[in-house]
Amino acid sequence: MTAGATPPARPTLEDVAAVAGVSRATVSRVINGVTTVDPALRAVVEEAIATTRYVPNRAARSLVTRRTDSVALVVSERERRSVAEPFVGRMFSDPYFGRVVGGLLDVLRPAGVQMVLMLADDAASRGQLLSYLRQGHVDGIVLISSHAGDPLPRLVHETRLPAVLAGRPGQPSPLTYVEADQSAGARLSAGRLAGLGRRRIGTVAGPQDMPAGRERLAGFRAAMAMYGIEDVAVAEGDFTHSGGAAAMRRLLAEHPDLDGVFIASDLMALGALPVLLRAGRRVPDDVAVVGFDDSNAALTCDPALTTVRQPVEEMTSEMARLLLKQIAAPGGPPPSMIFTPTLVVRESA
């Protein structure tokens, strides 16, 4: 464009409608994601949008729809957890969070919805988060709450924004949640160890202030009791690599003759297996090991880890769908969903 020339006018809804041969109202319905538009008509409009290079005015659209086309992924953690690595570092090093983000984006991105990551691990960050939410910056929330006493599910509910919880809440909550059956997964691990004839059993449990940690331990103990093994040695970990190593050292110091171990997360197992090796215990010959999650850490383990698979990507995709339904049709929250875990047998047990 030469100096002083008038820049070309931005394509309008009317331009798109003219190219598509439809009304302006039809173009508007397509752009705003109205689901009742005929698929063939939608395809014609979308082709016209591409041809004209029309870009929706998001600010104007927000005034009409009262939506931002953004949702918040909120990760909440207990204050003052006794782990040296910073909260952000632990989050991005844990395979679970990558799987969560991937599952959410599989649904949100095609719907044209952006995701904002927000962290809350103390009173100050919770206050900042709630202020941001109340100012209308997002249409809804996916909340990962990591401990039983977390006030954030209640505070999020009080904002009246659509919200879905990742995992069963530690306290009664009206929010919809999506969860894997943690106890059932732990029972699968118990059945595997008992089926291999292992009798001197221990477990590296997850944090007992977290519902998942408690349910996996309780389910494992109950199942082992059904197999006639009442005395299960327990060392509590923290769902981190270093925490798994430390818990395994404690477990071996007190019970050096263990021949079967359930480790309540693959990441903890990744830290625990070298401890067994350094102690002269071969896996699976001397000690059979079963993990939980079926994350990429299970394949990084040496030997490859037999583990309980919770379908994280499928679960978080369902969270995104449930959230979008709430945003599109405000009202009572949709019912919660519980997924069934499965056992993935590899080399460690």
Side-chain angles (χ1 to χ4, degrees):
M1 185 173 66
T2 60
T6 303
R10 290 179 55 178
T12 65
L13 283 178
E14 288 76 8
D15 295 330
V16 176
V19 170
V22 299
S23 69
R24 183 185 188 281
T26 298
V27 175
S28 179
R29 289 201 300 273
V30 170
I31 290 172
N32 287 315
V34 176
T35 57
T36 56
V37 177
D38 179 84
L41 197 58
R42 179 183 300 277
V44 170
V45 172
E46 289 173 345
E47 183 176 348
I49 290 171
T51 300
T52 60
R53 298 185 179 181
Y54 172 76
V55 178
N57 185 325
R58 296 183 68 87
R61 182 182 170 199
S62 292
L63 288 173
V64 175
T65 65
R66 297 182 180 274
R67 295 181 191 167
T68 65
D69 290 333
S70 297
V71 300
L73 170 59
V74 177
V75 183
S76 174
E77 183 172 273
R78 188 184 73 182
E79 299 179 50
R80 297 180 297 279
R81 185 177 292 283
S82 58
V83 180
E85 188 179 1
F87 178 22
V88 174
R90 290 197 305 282
M91 186 182 71
F92 286 114
S93 66
D94 189 333
Y96 172 77
F97 290 103
R99 298 174 69 192
V100 167
V101 171
L104 292 172
L105 290 179
D106 281 347
V107 173
L108 296 177
R109 193 158 45 192
V113 176
Q114 303 299 313
M115 187 172 69
V116 181
L117 174 63
M118 307 194 72
L119 311 179
D121 62 346
D122 57 26
S125 58
R126 280 196 297 272
Q128 293 169 355
L129 166 69
L130 291 168
S131 176
Y132 182 87
L133 297 177
R134 288 170 181 145
Q135 289 172 26
H137 293 294
V138 296
D139 299 323
I141 305 152
V142 173
L143 173 60
I144 300 176
S145 175
S146 68
H147 64 98
D150 190 355
L152 205 49
R154 174 181 57 81
L155 296 171
V156 162
H157 175 63
E158 290 173 357
T159 68
R160 303 300 181 188
L161 282 168
V164 177
L165 272 169
R168 191 190 308 270
Q171 299 175 350
S173 171
L175 297 180
T176 295
Y177 66 85
V178 176
E179 170 76 303
D181 190 333
Q182 307 292 330
S183 294
R187 292 194 295 271
L188 290 174
S189 67
R192 179 63 180 176
L193 293 174
L196 293 172
R198 307 304 167 112
R199 306 295 296 175
R200 300 183 301 279
I201 304 295
T203 179
V204 173
Q208 294 304 289
D209 70 324
M210 295 177 65
R214 289 202 308 264
E215 291 173 19
R216 292 175 196 181
L217 177 58
F220 183 72
R221 278 175 156 163
M224 292 311 310
M226 291 177 59
Y227 292 112
I229 302 173
E230 299 280 355
D231 186 18
V232 174
V234 179
E236 183 177 337
D238 58 11
F239 285 153
T240 69
H241 180 281
S242 59
M248 182 56 77
R249 284 192 290 269
R250 295 195 302 273
L251 205 57
L252 282 180
E254 297 175 11
H255 306 277
D257 62 341
L258 290 174
D259 65 2
V261 181
F262 167 50
I263 303 178
S265 82
D266 295 347
L267 194 59
M268 289 200 298
L270 188 60
L273 285 176
V275 174
L276 287 167
L277 180 64
R278 286 192 293 271
R281 309 301 307 280
R282 296 169 301 165
V283 177
D285 305 64
D286 303 321
V287 185
V289 177
V290 179
F292 201 109
D293 285 331
D294 195 30
S295 66
N296 57 16
L299 296 174
T300 306
C301 287
D302 185 16
L305 190 66
T306 292
T307 187
V308 174
R309 180 178 188 271
Q310 55 173 346
V312 174
E313 291 84 358
E314 293 93 325
M315 291 161 57
T316 51
S317 289
E318 186 60 28
M319 288 176 213
R321 283 189 285 269
L322 290 171
L323 185 61
L324 293 180
K325 285 179 183 178
Q326 288 188 63
I327 293 169
S336 298
M337 292 193 63
I338 298 178
F339 282 70
T340 302
T342 55
L343 185 69
V344 179
V345 177
R346 297 193 179 98
E347 299 168 9
S348 68

